[in-house]
């Protein structure tokens, strides 16, 4: 088989495939054999029907058309592997001429291929990952969190202040009429948290134990009970007791009560070690995220919509497969999460666009810094997929070439090489990012891991 490629406008190519006569004849023979196995003619055994009889009953043109379809289906993927083409859509072969037994056959296919976009620059790759170690301010904040947990409430002989806890009872009315649940008896109310309207808390401020106060106001439009809006709410409140939150003192005794430490400094050291370990665990992933975002932000050129749609289809299929594995329906998922189908579709599109952009950016980086995929790289990848079995690796290569997916394996190798180069060459600064650095994506918005060579090869030519 002979192949050649002509570059057309944009990302389109014209692939020319010439199939030798013996391959044409083999395709015709295979078509006759298949029809002979299916055809039922009295007096002839299945699979033993002569070609002239088949021509009479089926038609020679129909047999040759079947053979042509078989020929193109088999040789087109092989041609993609030979020319190392990564297509993103089905080919347009136009009107194909009929096969002629004993003669070679040539056909052409026009198709869009994966674009080779560029980066604005592969230089000055700097990401700001934030401090690598825990600051004293962070430790102080954790200490304050512990103090809040171990705080006590103690009665005070003074008026209510914001942040106090008030043991109270009240009776409420709306336009002078009681409503369901309008009476509350001995409730410990925490001020300063906007649990009740501002007028309610304002009435409490300054009140002492034993006082009776009244809060009265017009119910706003933000009320959860629409029929009350615009009416007058009145609360007659009895203040039984005022309690203030008392935080424990910062001393060795506090450290012992928190975690059995001998000294406050030991508690601080323990917080520092745990926070540092947590930062170290997430830091590597954070750097990867920021580096990929940085390279993606430098990608120049238009991303074909076919690539995004193809990835959307793949991710949508994976989404439903995941639901099926978990034994839940889409309706169950929507009810449990509160998201709409439209939100799910929008999220999948966003993630699809992000992943395609990342991959194209890595490929652009691969070319910009002069990396290459060698035959040894391909052989090592195949050997890894075959779990070290050399013979299986050879068979696997033949399968990928026949299926037209060998270029996808090379694509995956190129992306991984570019990613390794990126992580080895990006400069990481222990500072907070400036405003212009691309924002870090949420963890759930990211692929869980780099795309493996095996997964890539198994995707096939979805385009």
């Amino acid at each position: 088989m002979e192949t050649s490629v002509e570059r057309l406008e944009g990302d389109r190519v014209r692939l020319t495939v010439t199939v030798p006569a013996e391959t044409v004849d083999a395709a015709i023979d295979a078509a006759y054999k298949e029809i002979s196995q299916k055809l039922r003619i009295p007096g002839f055994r299945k699979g033993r029907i002569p070609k002239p009889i088949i021509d009479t009953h089926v038609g020679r043109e129909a047999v040759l058309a079947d053979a042509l379809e078989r020929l193109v289906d088999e040789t087109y993927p092989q041609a993609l592997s030979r020319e190392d083409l990564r297509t993103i859509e089905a080919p347009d072969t136009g009107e194909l001429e009929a096969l002629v037994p004993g003669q070679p056959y040539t056909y052409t296919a026009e198709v869009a291929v994966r674009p080779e976009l560029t980066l604005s620059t592969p230089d000055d790759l700097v990401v700001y990952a934030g401090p690598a170690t825990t600051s004293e301010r962070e430790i102080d904040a954790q200490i304050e969190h512990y103090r809040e947990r171990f705080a006590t409430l103690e009665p005070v002989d003074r008026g209510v202040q914001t942040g106090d806890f008030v043991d109270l009872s009240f009776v409420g009315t709306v336009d002078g009429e009681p409503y369901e649940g309008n009476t509350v008896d001995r409730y410990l109310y925490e001020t300063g948290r906007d649990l009740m309207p501002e007028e309610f808390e304002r009435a409490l401020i300054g009140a002492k134990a034993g006082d009776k106060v009244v809060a009265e106001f017009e119910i706003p439009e933000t009320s959860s009970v629409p029929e009350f809006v615009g009416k007058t709410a009145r609360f007659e409140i009895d203040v039984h007791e005022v309690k203030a939150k008392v935080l424990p003192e910062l001393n060795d005794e506090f450290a012992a009560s928190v975690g059995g430490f001998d000294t406050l400094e030991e508690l601080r050291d323990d917080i520092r070690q745990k926070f540092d370990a947590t930062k170290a665990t997430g830091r590597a992933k954070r750097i990867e995220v920021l580096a990929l975002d940085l390279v993606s932000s430098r990608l120049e050129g238009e991303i074909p919509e076919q690539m995004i749609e193809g990835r959307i289809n793949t991710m949508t299929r994976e989404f439903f497969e995941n639901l099926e594995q978990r034994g839940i329906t889409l309706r169950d998922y929507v009810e449990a999460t509160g998201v709409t189908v439209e939100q799910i579709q929008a999220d999948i599109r966003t993630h699809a666009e992000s992943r395609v952009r990342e991959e194209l950016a890595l490929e652009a980086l691969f070319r910009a810094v002069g990396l290459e995929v060698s035959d040894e790289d391909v052989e090592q990848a195949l050997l890894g997929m075959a779990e070290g079995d050399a013979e299986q690796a050879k068979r696997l290569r033949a399968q990928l070439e026949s299926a037209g997916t060998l270029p996808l394996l090379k694509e995956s190798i190129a992306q991984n090489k570019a990613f390794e180069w990126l992580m080895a060459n990006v400069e990481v600064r222990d500072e907070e990012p400036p405003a212009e650095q691309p924002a870090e994506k949420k963890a759930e918005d990211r692929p869980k891991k780099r795309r493996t060579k095996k997964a890539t090869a198994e995707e096939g030519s979805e385009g």
Side-chain angles (χ1 to χ4, degrees), residues 63-316:
V63 176
L64 292 179
D66 183 73
L68 176 58
E69 182 179 354
R70 179 191 305 271
L71 186 74
V72 173
D73 287 347
E74 290 180 355
T75 59
Y76 175 73
Q78 296 172 13
L80 294 181
S81 291
R82 176 173 294 195
E83 294 292 342
D84 201 20
L85 295 178
R86 299 169 297 161
T87 61
I88 59 174
E89 64 178 11
D92 179 9
T93 57
E95 185 101 19
L96 294 173
E97 295 182 1
L99 295 177
V100 178
Q103 293 185 15
Y105 185 80
T106 298
Y107 67 90
T108 62
E110 291 189 11
V111 65
V113 295
R114 196 175 180 92
E116 294 189 353
L117 305 184
T118 59
L119 299 180
S120 57
T121 175
D123 303 324
D124 301 322
L125 296 169
V126 180
V127 296
Y128 298 82
T133 57
T134 305
S135 67
E136 293 301 313
R137 179 181 298 180
E138 290 172 306
I139 296 175
D140 290 341
Q142 184 64 21
I143 291 288
E144 286 304 307
H145 172 69
Y146 287 149
R147 291 184 75 195
E148 289 284 344
R149 284 178 52 192
F150 285 86
T152 58
L153 296 180
E154 298 182 6
V156 292
D157 187 17
R158 58 167 173 75
V160 175
Q161 298 177 3
T162 299
D164 285 344
F165 287 76
V166 183
D167 182 8
L168 55 77
S169 301
F170 69 77
V171 176
T173 59
V174 175
D175 276 355
E177 298 293 330
Y179 57 89
E180 184 178 354
N182 71 316
T183 301
V184 172
D185 186 38
R186 304 303 294 248
Y187 174 72
L188 190 62
Y189 178 81
E190 182 182 2
T191 61
R193 292 186 57 193
D194 298 326
L195 300 176
M196 290 288 283
E198 179 183 351
E199 293 84 357
F200 186 95
E201 293 213 357
R202 189 184 303 140
L204 289 176
I205 298 301
K208 297 181 179 180
D211 286 352
K212 294 179 179 290
V213 296
V214 175
E216 192 170 271
F217 54 90
E218 182 179 304
I219 299 175
E221 294 183 355
T222 55
S223 172
S224 59
V225 186
E227 58 266 30
F228 287 174
V229 172
K231 297 181 179 181
T232 300
R234 178 184 174 87
F235 294 92
E236 298 179 357
I237 309 167
D238 291 322
V239 178
H240 303 298
E241 190 175 34
V242 180
K243 296 183 179 182
K245 183 189 295 184
V246 179
L247 301 178
E249 293 185 19
L250 289 177
N251 51 32
D252 294 344
E253 183 180 346
F254 169 71
S257 64
V258 170
F261 299 97
D262 292 332
T263 66
L264 183 61
E265 194 57 37
E266 286 184 9
L267 172 60
R268 295 184 67 87
D269 287 342
D270 181 73
I271 295 173
R272 180 181 291 104
Q273 291 174 13
K274 290 178 179 178
F275 278 27
D276 283 351
T278 300
K279 284 192 173 187
T281 300
R283 185 175 174 79
K285 181 60 180 177
R286 175 177 169 80
I287 292 171
E288 290 181 5
V289 168
L290 292 173
L292 284 170
D293 286 346
L294 177 60
V295 172
S296 296
S297 70
R298 296 183 179 184
L299 186 66
E300 295 186 328
E302 185 176 351
I303 299 176
E305 183 63 24
Q306 300 102 306
M307 294 185 65
I308 297 174
E309 291 295 333
R311 185 56 57 87
I312 289 174
N313 292 337
T314 299
M315 294 179 68
T316 301

